[in-house]
Amino acid sequence: MTSRRTSLLATLALLAMTASWGSTFFLIRDLLDRVPTLDFLAVRFLVATAAMLLVAPQAVRRLSPESRKHAAVLGGVYGVAQVLQTAGLAHTPASVSGFVTGMYVVLTPLLAALLLRTRIGALTWAAVALAALGLGVLTLQGLSVGYGEAITLVAAGLYALHIVGLGAWSDPRQALGMSIVQIGVIAVLCSIATLPDGVVLPATGADWASVVYMALVAGAAAMLAQTWAQAHLPPTRSAIIMSMEPVFAASFAVWLGGEAATSRMLLGGAMVLTAMLLVELAPRRKVEGEVQHLVV
């Protein structure tokens, strides 16, 4: 059973990962004026893969065959989600895309209940609903439903499946190797998606610095943190913690991006933060199905 101290460290690791994701939004917005989205994703994950292999060349070799297979499946799920989310952005406003993508916080407990037979308590469902409402307040400027929203919702479902899969398959002793395999598979899928039009590389030192930061900190280190942390936390709790991403994104946009804080930012952020605190401060109890494993 995961100790309270380990659980706290895992929560902090997920929060740090989510903060690193949030810190990239204003950087990506600027970079995508010069580098196409799929090209950026391919370069970002290729750099992350190369760096991880240089730092720990034996980690993948030490993986058990089962963990290697699981990591490849998880990387494939995440990579397809990245491509679908990117495709959806071409057909839907960014604010709507952010909200629909954030629906993984709702889909994760549904998939956990279906695939892991996890019982979700009333307090957790309340936190999920509050996080979803907070995401809506924080991101939505209006909602239309069409092709872009549909494929973005599929991407959200895949992100939720990735969270559930990590919760079931992560082994803290093999977190590094599993992270490398996942990042490598994502890099391959994003590269395949962008190859037909050719790959556009960053042209300036500043753009490369942004890409390297997003590859190493918000890519490689974030995937390692998530893979290790989810070996110690149930999927639904992880998803609620990760719903803090747009809160961090708004905070960094105000702090470093020069944007003004709005009442929507403050209200939506407070709702998501309250949802996270609900599941973190509630009394812990063993939930049936938390230790169940997916089978492939």
Side-chain angles (χ1 to χ4, degrees), residues 95 99 133-142 247 250 260-272:
S95 61
F99 172 72
L133 287 172
L135 288 170
V137 171
L138 191 63
T139 61
L140 280 182
Q141 302 295 330
V247 180
T262 66
S263 57
R264 287 174 63 97
M265 280 185 187
L266 296 175
L267 177 59
M271 292 170 73
V272 175

CSV table of all heavy atoms in Angstrom, one decimal, residues 95 99 133-142 247 250 260-272:
chain,number,residue,atom,x,y,z
A,95,SER,N,-10.1,28.1,-27.3
A,95,SER,CA,-10.7,28.0,-26.0
A,95,SER,C,-11.6,26.8,-25.8
A,95,SER,O,-11.6,26.1,-24.8
A,95,SER,CB,-11.5,29.3,-25.7
A,95,SER,OG,-12.5,29.4,-26.7
A,99,PHE,N,-11.2,23.3,-23.4
A,99,PHE,CA,-12.3,22.8,-22.6
A,99,PHE,C,-12.6,21.4,-22.9
A,99,PHE,O,-12.7,20.5,-22.0
A,99,PHE,CB,-13.5,23.7,-22.7
A,99,PHE,CG,-14.7,23.1,-22.0
A,99,PHE,CD1,-14.8,23.1,-20.6
A,99,PHE,CD2,-15.8,22.5,-22.7
A,99,PHE,CE1,-15.9,22.6,-19.9
A,99,PHE,CE2,-16.9,21.9,-22.0
A,99,PHE,CZ,-16.9,22.0,-20.7
A,133,LEU,N,-16.7,22.1,-14.3
A,133,LEU,CA,-17.3,23.4,-14.3
A,133,LEU,C,-16.3,24.5,-14.3
A,133,LEU,O,-16.3,25.5,-15.0
A,133,LEU,CB,-18.3,23.5,-13.1
A,133,LEU,CG,-19.6,22.8,-13.2
A,133,LEU,CD1,-20.3,22.9,-11.9
A,133,LEU,CD2,-20.4,23.3,-14.3
A,134,GLY,N,-15.2,24.3,-13.4
A,134,GLY,CA,-14.1,25.3,-13.4
A,134,GLY,C,-13.4,25.4,-14.7
A,134,GLY,O,-13.1,26.5,-15.1
A,135,LEU,N,-13.2,24.3,-15.4
A,135,LEU,CA,-12.6,24.3,-16.7
A,135,LEU,C,-13.4,25.1,-17.7
A,135,LEU,O,-12.9,25.9,-18.5
A,135,LEU,CB,-12.3,22.9,-17.2
A,135,LEU,CG,-11.2,22.1,-16.6
A,135,LEU,CD1,-11.3,20.6,-17.0
A,135,LEU,CD2,-9.9,22.7,-16.9
A,136,GLY,N,-14.7,24.9,-17.6
A,136,GLY,CA,-15.6,25.7,-18.5
A,136,GLY,C,-15.6,27.2,-18.2
A,136,GLY,O,-15.5,28.0,-19.2
A,137,VAL,N,-15.6,27.6,-17.0
A,137,VAL,CA,-15.5,29.0,-16.6
A,137,VAL,C,-14.2,29.6,-17.1
A,137,VAL,O,-14.1,30.7,-17.6
A,137,VAL,CB,-15.7,29.2,-15.1
A,137,VAL,CG1,-15.4,30.6,-14.7
A,137,VAL,CG2,-17.1,28.8,-14.7
A,138,LEU,N,-13.1,28.8,-16.9
A,138,LEU,CA,-11.8,29.3,-17.2
A,138,LEU,C,-11.5,29.4,-18.7
A,138,LEU,O,-10.8,30.3,-19.1
A,138,LEU,CB,-10.7,28.3,-16.6
A,138,LEU,CG,-9.3,28.7,-16.5
A,138,LEU,CD1,-9.1,30.0,-15.6
A,138,LEU,CD2,-8.4,27.6,-15.9
A,139,THR,N,-12.0,28.5,-19.5
A,139,THR,CA,-11.6,28.4,-20.9
A,139,THR,C,-12.7,28.8,-21.9
A,139,THR,O,-12.3,29.3,-23.0
A,139,THR,CB,-11.1,27.0,-21.2
A,139,THR,OG1,-12.2,26.1,-21.0
A,139,THR,CG2,-10.0,26.6,-20.4
A,140,LEU,N,-14.0,28.6,-21.6
A,140,LEU,CA,-15.0,28.7,-22.7
A,140,LEU,C,-15.4,30.2,-22.9
A,140,LEU,O,-15.6,30.9,-22.0
A,140,LEU,CB,-16.2,27.9,-22.3
A,140,LEU,CG,-16.2,26.4,-22.6
A,140,LEU,CD1,-17.5,25.8,-22.2
A,140,LEU,CD2,-15.8,26.1,-24.0
A,141,GLN,N,-15.4,30.5,-24.2
A,141,GLN,CA,-16.0,31.8,-24.6
A,141,GLN,C,-17.3,31.6,-25.4
A,141,GLN,O,-17.9,32.5,-25.9
A,141,GLN,CB,-15.0,32.6,-25.5
A,141,GLN,CG,-13.7,32.8,-24.8
A,141,GLN,CD,-13.8,33.8,-23.6
A,141,GLN,OE1,-14.7,34.6,-23.5
A,141,GLN,NE2,-13.0,33.6,-22.6
A,142,GLY,N,-17.7,30.4,-25.6
A,142,GLY,CA,-18.8,30.0,-26.4
A,142,GLY,C,-18.5,28.5,-26.9
A,142,GLY,O,-17.4,28.1,-27.0
A,247,VAL,N,-5.1,26.2,-15.1
A,247,VAL,CA,-4.9,27.2,-14.1
A,247,VAL,C,-3.5,27.7,-14.1
A,247,VAL,O,-3.2,28.9,-14.0
A,247,VAL,CB,-5.3,26.6,-12.7
A,247,VAL,CG1,-5.0,27.6,-11.6
A,247,VAL,CG2,-6.7,26.1,-12.7
A,250,ALA,N,-3.0,29.9,-17.2
A,250,ALA,CA,-3.4,31.2,-17.0
A,250,ALA,C,-2.5,32.0,-16.1
A,250,ALA,O,-2.2,33.2,-16.4
A,250,ALA,CB,-4.8,31.2,-16.4
A,260,ALA,N,-3.8,40.1,-18.7
A,260,ALA,CA,-4.4,40.6,-17.6
A,260,ALA,C,-5.3,39.6,-16.9
A,260,ALA,O,-5.9,38.7,-17.6
A,260,ALA,CB,-5.3,41.8,-17.9
A,261,ALA,N,-5.2,39.5,-15.6
A,261,ALA,CA,-6.0,38.6,-14.8
A,261,ALA,C,-7.5,39.0,-14.9
A,261,ALA,O,-7.8,40.2,-14.8
A,261,ALA,CB,-5.6,38.5,-13.4
A,262,THR,N,-8.4,38.1,-15.1
A,262,THR,CA,-9.8,38.4,-15.3
A,262,THR,C,-10.6,37.6,-14.2
A,262,THR,O,-10.1,36.7,-13.5
A,262,THR,CB,-10.4,37.9,-16.6
A,262,THR,OG1,-10.3,36.5,-16.7
A,262,THR,CG2,-9.5,38.5,-17.8
A,263,SER,N,-11.8,38.1,-14.0
A,263,SER,CA,-12.7,37.4,-13.0
A,263,SER,C,-12.9,36.0,-13.4
A,263,SER,O,-13.0,35.1,-12.5
A,263,SER,CB,-14.0,38.2,-12.8
A,263,SER,OG,-14.7,38.3,-14.1
A,264,ARG,N,-13.0,35.7,-14.7
A,264,ARG,CA,-13.2,34.3,-15.1
A,264,ARG,C,-12.0,33.4,-14.7
A,264,ARG,O,-12.2,32.3,-14.3
A,264,ARG,CB,-13.4,34.2,-16.6
A,264,ARG,CG,-14.8,34.7,-17.1
A,264,ARG,CD,-14.8,34.8,-18.6
A,264,ARG,NE,-14.6,33.5,-19.2
A,264,ARG,CZ,-15.6,32.7,-19.6
A,264,ARG,NH1,-16.9,33.1,-19.5
A,264,ARG,NH2,-15.4,31.5,-20.1
A,265,MET,N,-10.8,34.0,-14.9
A,265,MET,CA,-9.6,33.2,-14.5
A,265,MET,C,-9.6,32.9,-13.1
A,265,MET,O,-9.3,31.8,-12.6
A,265,MET,CB,-8.4,34.1,-14.8
A,265,MET,CG,-7.9,34.1,-16.3
A,265,MET,SD,-6.3,35.0,-16.4
A,265,MET,CE,-6.1,35.0,-18.1
A,266,LEU,N,-9.9,33.9,-12.3
A,266,LEU,CA,-9.9,33.7,-10.8
A,266,LEU,C,-11.0,32.8,-10.3
A,266,LEU,O,-10.7,31.9,-9.5
A,266,LEU,CB,-10.1,35.1,-10.1
A,266,LEU,CG,-9.0,36.1,-10.4
A,266,LEU,CD1,-9.3,37.5,-9.8
A,266,LEU,CD2,-7.6,35.6,-9.9
A,267,LEU,N,-12.2,32.9,-10.9
A,267,LEU,CA,-13.3,32.0,-10.5
A,267,LEU,C,-13.0,30.6,-10.9
A,267,LEU,O,-13.2,29.6,-10.2
A,267,LEU,CB,-14.6,32.5,-11.0
A,267,LEU,CG,-15.9,31.7,-10.7
A,267,LEU,CD1,-16.0,31.5,-9.2
A,267,LEU,CD2,-17.1,32.2,-11.3
A,268,GLY,N,-12.7,30.4,-12.2
A,268,GLY,CA,-12.5,29.1,-12.8
A,268,GLY,C,-11.3,28.4,-12.1
A,268,GLY,O,-11.4,27.2,-11.7
A,269,GLY,N,-10.2,29.2,-11.9
A,269,GLY,CA,-9.1,28.6,-11.2
A,269,GLY,C,-9.4,28.2,-9.8
A,269,GLY,O,-8.9,27.1,-9.3
A,270,ALA,N,-10.2,29.0,-9.1
A,270,ALA,CA,-10.5,28.7,-7.7
A,270,ALA,C,-11.4,27.4,-7.6
A,270,ALA,O,-11.2,26.6,-6.7
A,270,ALA,CB,-11.3,29.8,-7.1
A,271,MET,N,-12.3,27.2,-8.6
A,271,MET,CA,-13.1,26.0,-8.7
A,271,MET,C,-12.2,24.7,-8.9
A,271,MET,O,-12.4,23.7,-8.2
A,271,MET,CB,-14.2,26.1,-9.8
A,271,MET,CG,-15.2,27.2,-9.5
A,271,MET,SD,-16.3,27.6,-10.9
A,271,MET,CE,-17.3,26.1,-10.9
A,272,VAL,N,-11.3,24.8,-9.8
A,272,VAL,CA,-10.4,23.7,-10.1
A,272,VAL,C,-9.6,23.4,-8.9
A,272,VAL,O,-9.4,22.2,-8.5
A,272,VAL,CB,-9.6,23.9,-11.4
A,272,VAL,CG1,-8.6,22.8,-11.6
A,272,VAL,CG2,-10.5,24.1,-12.6
